[in-house]
Amino acid sequence: MNTRPRPEALTLLRHGSAIAVADLAAVYTWRTWLFGWLVRMLSQVVFFTLVGRLTGAGRDERFLVTGNALMVCAVEATMVVASSAWERSLGTLPLLVAAPARLAWTFTVRSLQWVISGTATSLVALFALGPVFGLRWTVGSACAAVPLVLLTSLGTYCVGLALAAFVADRPGLRNVVSNVAYLGMMAVCGVQVPVHYWPPPVRAVAQVLPLTHELDALRGVLDGAPPVHVLLQALLGAVTGAGWLAVAVLGFGWVARRGRRTGAIEFGT
């Protein structure tokens, strides 16, 4: 019999992912997800695309529908800010800090349900609404879109994790920070207007957000850009996402050390 212990990260991944799937089932039934959340997000995509048509800003509706369809996975991924903060009000944060496992890896997998749901929502928006507004899918472009949407969801999830570490001691800010994060990404990452519309300082901020690069890659797939360009943008998105994950790991590490040292992590709020 193999008595070697499992690596900590793999054990946390297994248990944390199981909790995330259980949370997804608790938050949604198939009816509430399909007729509630999905309809809401599809309506958002249609709304912003039609606003572009009405104002004359949306000369290329393909640009708007692609950006807004991909954006919905970022909206859902940033919900990790709120769901991470719930651990304090539920009284589980002190127990997580006291546990021997690293707090950062626990939170990394704890809210993966938003990645699952967000990826599914964006794919439905792209494949169901895209053709209505001029997107033309081939088997190749559709297959390329799936990993790009997943990378976008994971990358913005990592941004949310870093912000979740920031609000761990300020749970009352969770919704404000989450909303500002996804609205900021919607504004500067090329969703509604091209990134080059903004002044250089704003463009610089956009370059450190995974959504900017993954959206560029997705538009490249749809516009027939060279594969090298698509792969480079996808890789840049993955690298920036990994950078935000590193920030999150450092942030949650600081939260754990501070909590153990000062006892400032109380039960509830």
Side-chain angles (χ1 to χ4, degrees):
M1 181 175 63
N2 186 1
T3 59
R4 289 181 300 175
R6 290 175 177 267
E8 174 189 308
L10 293 178
T11 303
L12 287 174
L13 177 63
R14 180 166 60 87
H15 290 293
S17 300
I19 293 172
V21 172
D23 271 0
L24 183 63
V27 171
Y28 299 118
T29 66
W30 71 268
R31 291 183 181 85
T32 58
W33 187 86
L34 187 62
F35 298 110
W37 178 257
L38 181 62
V39 170
R40 173 189 169 186
M41 289 292 100
L42 294 182
S43 299
Q44 176 176 306
V45 175
V46 172
F47 172 79
F48 282 109
T49 305
L50 292 180
V51 165
R53 176 188 293 180
L54 291 173
T55 61
R59 293 186 299 273
D60 186 358
E61 290 181 356
R62 294 171 71 253
F63 180 93
L64 288 170
V65 74
T66 304
N68 284 286
L70 189 62
M71 181 67 216
V72 295
C73 79
V75 172
E76 197 154 1
T78 53
M79 291 171 70
V80 65
V81 179
S83 60
S84 297
W86 294 341
E87 298 296 338
R88 181 186 289 271
S89 60
L90 292 172
T92 53
L93 186 56
L95 302 176
L96 293 173
V97 171
R102 293 187 66 179
L103 186 67
W105 299 125
T106 301
F107 276 100
T108 297
V109 297
R110 172 65 180 83
S111 297
L112 282 175
Q113 70 269 20
W114 307 129
V115 173
I116 298 169
S117 179
T119 300
T121 305
S122 273
L123 289 174
V124 173
L126 285 167
F127 295 144
L129 295 180
V132 177
F133 294 101
L135 296 187
R136 295 294 177 261
W137 294 103
T138 64
V139 174
S141 62
C143 290
V146 174
L148 290 175
V149 172
L150 179 59
L151 282 173
T152 305
S153 191
L154 286 169
T156 50
Y157 179 79
C158 291
V159 175
L161 277 173
L163 298 175
F166 170 75
V167 302
D169 289 335
R170 306 169 185 83
L173 295 177
R174 61 187 184 277
N175 292 329
V176 173
V177 170
S178 177
N179 290 342
V180 169
Y182 81 73
L183 289 172
M185 286 189 281
M186 183 183 288
V188 307
C189 290
V191 174
Q192 312 295 357
V193 296
V195 176
H196 61 72
Y197 168 84
W198 298 104
V202 178
R203 292 202 296 265
V205 172
Q207 295 308 309
V208 300
L209 296 170
L211 176 62
T212 303
H213 303 289
E214 303 298 353
L215 179 53
D216 193 358
L218 180 60
R219 288 195 174 118
V221 167
L222 291 165
D223 294 338
V228 172
H229 171 80
V230 174
L231 289 173
L232 177 60
Q233 289 302 311
L235 180 60
L236 285 172
V239 169
T240 54
W244 283 100
L245 179 59
V247 172
V249 170
L250 293 173
F252 279 116
W254 179 84
V255 170
R257 289 191 299 273
R258 178 179 177 275
R260 289 172 180 143
R261 185 179 67 252
T262 66
I265 307 281
E266 74 279 2
F267 283 81
T269 57

